[in-house]
Structures are given as C-alpha cells and as structure tokens.
Amino acid sequence: MNNTAAHLDLIKKINRSLILEKIKTEQPISRAQIAKKLSLSKSTVSSIVDELLSRKFVIELGEQSPVKGGGRPALMLGFNPKSAFGIGLDIDRANILLIITDLVGSIIYRKKVPSTNQVMEIINFIKECIKESNIPEEKIIGMGIGVPGRTDNETVFRAKALNWTNLHIKELFKPYFSFPTFTNNDVNCAGLGEMWLDPEPSTKNLFFIEIGHSIGSAIISNGNLVYGYNYQAGEIAYQISTSDIKNKKFNMLGQPGVFESKISGTALEKSGYSPEILFKKYSQGEKEVIQTIESFVTELSVFIANAINLLNPEKVIIGGYVSESMDVVLNEIQEMVMNLTPIKTKIQLASLGANAGSLGAIAFMFNQVENQIEND
C-alpha cells in the first residue's frame, strides 16, 4: 500500500469510528443529520453507513417525517447491540473457553472443555456451541481466537503449549464458517478484554500483566495493541536484573524466563503452597511465608515502576489466576511503586477473571471487522 492509499485508509477508519459512535449516542439519526453534525459529505456518510449496515454494526429503524415543514421522510439509523454477535475462543494448555457476546460484550453463551490441539476437534466444538446457543450463524459477524504463543491475526507462528508451528488458522477455518476468523496472543486478548469492559471506558493506555503458571503482558497505547518487531512485545518473562547477572541467571531459548522463575504461579508453588494459600497465610501474618511474599511484592513492584517509566500507562492491570488472591498485597504494591517512580499510575487487579481472554478475543475481532476496508 502506497502512502496516499494508507492515508486515505486511515481517514476512512477515523470517519467510520466517528459515524458509528454518533449513531450509538444519538440514535435514531439519519444520514443527513450525521453528515451535518460531523461536517462530512453526504456521499462519504452514505458509503460508510452502507458498509456498517452490511457488517451488521447498525440497523435501519424505519422512516421518520421531518419535524418542521415539508420534505421527504428520512430513513433513521440505530445501534442494536443484539443485531449481531461475536465468538471468542481462549485456548490454553488446559482448557478451551468459548464465549458468545452481543456487540457490547454481554455474554449470551459460555462453554469450557478440556484443551486439544486438533484443529478439527476445535472446529466441531465451535459448531456444537453455535448450535447450542440458538444464534443463527448469519448473525455472527466473526470469531477471535486467543492462543498461548506468537501470532499475527491469521497465523500462529509458534505455540509451544499446543505444539503448533506456522498454523494458518484463518485458512483452516474458512471452509467451515460463514464468518471471518482472527487470531492473537492470549495475553493480548486478556488485556483487550479488560480495556473493553473496564468500568472506566475512557482508559485507552494501559499495561496489562498476566500472572499465571508463567507471566506475560500486553501493551495498549491509544486503544491499540503494541506488537513490536516480529510480534514479540510484552515478553516480560525474560526481564532481567543486575542481581540475576551477578548470580549467573540468564535467559535461554526454550527454558522458563528469569523473571518468570521469580514472578509466576509456578515460582510461588515452589514454596509448597498454592498462591491462594500463600497469600491467605500472609494475610494472617504467618511467618513462614512472609519472606516469599515480600520478595514477590518487591520484584513485581520494581518491574512495574520501570514499566511505568518506559510506557507511561494510564493504568496497570494485573490479571491471571495468581491475581485472584493478590488483593491482600495490592496496596503494598501501589505504595512501593509510588515510592519508586514519580510518575503516578493507578494499579488495579483484573475484573474479568477467566473470561478475559475470550472476551478480549471478541473485542479484537470486532475491531478487525469494523476496520476492514470494503472489498478487502
């Protein structure tokens, strides 16, 4: 794509977002009213509205006569959250969670099954879920899939936990479904989910940390994921400190990262307790776990402070199953971070729990479908 075409594409995406937001907030509204309020040409508005109608993001509400004087009735437009639906699939080494939502993230259907790396088994599971949901397939506008590995929006380059390498998900799924499929990293999806359904929807710059069996992150800037070169941004398991170097701890390909060996569910379980029990014992003041948790809090706080200095996020959100027990140390982390950096940032625990990845996969898919150019 040359510079001129890219510039026109960007303008169209901006106009599309403005028009969709105007319909959401001021429905019922006509094409002419949108054009006037946004200072856009009628032809531009009509073209984008036709595309939004075809993609089921907006609906026609019928004709309305002019309030004053004569003139022809105007066809009014509206936004109906249940005019279309999306599927989100979160695949990890243990489970596959499928969720179907409407256009604003309300969950219509949810099902979890043990994980598999067999593509046809996954396809059959999706078909079974669509049938059980009683949602007509023609009302599903797309599917997002989060996987534990490195991906672009069509191909899984490497997902060690699933033994997938250069798996062209989009092409493999295409013959079986009438809607498009998009892939992304599972932690990126979880971060998008937390942003999409955050009680403070104005948050567009956040750093999401997922602490599960391993550790990963998602960087969201101005509402968009930061992928980095070769789709490897956010690989914080490889974070390293001078003390690690002094102790000759280095990152090796195919081995757990140095930071992961200190900050993860797997690391905490080396104490002999689950993260849930560890944090519970800490809250009760039991001395045997104090050193373990204090070390965890310090290591994590130092990392968060450095991330804030680098990225300047509006929020840092901590998710993953370990975070579900971290409410007893959240204030300690916030206070330590405030002492380590003068840049003020809110730190909070994730709110979506196990649903975050699937919901974020849907958010990612909606964004991809909305931003596709006609005839692409």
Side-chain angles (χ1 to χ4, degrees), residues 331-374:
N331 288 338
E332 289 182 47
I333 292 171
Q334 180 77 74
E335 185 176 346
M336 186 173 291
V337 170
M338 287 176 65
N339 289 330
L340 293 172
T341 175
I343 302 173
K344 305 307 177 188
T345 305
K346 184 177 181 180
I347 302 171
Q348 66 185 51
L349 300 179
S351 61
L352 298 180
N355 292 340
S358 297
L359 291 169
I362 295 172
F364 174 68
M365 176 277 296
F366 281 158
N367 182 262
Q368 294 296 302
V369 171
E370 181 184 335
N371 287 333
Q372 280 182 332
I373 313 172
E374 197 168 345

Side-chain angles (χ1 to χ4, degrees), residues 15-25 34 38 48 52 57-58 78-79 370:
N15 288 339
R16 185 188 294 110
S17 295
L18 290 171
I19 291 170
L20 181 58
E21 188 62 27
K22 186 61 66 175
I23 294 171
K24 286 180 180 179
T25 56
I34 294 170
L38 296 178
I48 291 175
L52 291 172
F57 277 101
V58 301
F79 176 75
E370 181 184 335

Side-chain angles (χ1 to χ4, degrees), residues 110-163:
R110 182 184 187 275
K111 187 170 186 177
K112 182 167 72 173
V113 295
S115 193
T116 176
N117 68 350
Q118 299 301 303
V119 173
M120 278 310 305
E121 289 183 18
I122 295 172
I123 289 171
N124 288 334
F125 168 64
I126 296 166
K127 286 186 168 292
E128 175 186 305
C129 290
I130 293 172
K131 185 176 180 181
E132 289 180 1
S133 73
N134 292 319
I135 296 171
E137 188 167 328
E138 60 268 20
K139 296 193 76 173
I140 297 171
I141 62 175
M143 174 165 55
I145 301 178
V147 298
R150 185 167 61 90
T151 81
D152 63 9
N153 66 3
E154 298 183 4
T155 302
V156 179
F157 301 122
R158 184 173 184 269
K160 183 180 177 182
L162 300 174
N163 196 28

Side-chain angles (χ1 to χ4, degrees), residues 22-37:
K22 186 61 66 175
I23 294 171
K24 286 180 180 179
T25 56
E26 299 192 25
Q27 61 179 322
I29 189 170
S30 68
R31 286 171 170 83
Q33 289 170 331
I34 294 170
K36 183 177 180 181
K37 288 175 181 288

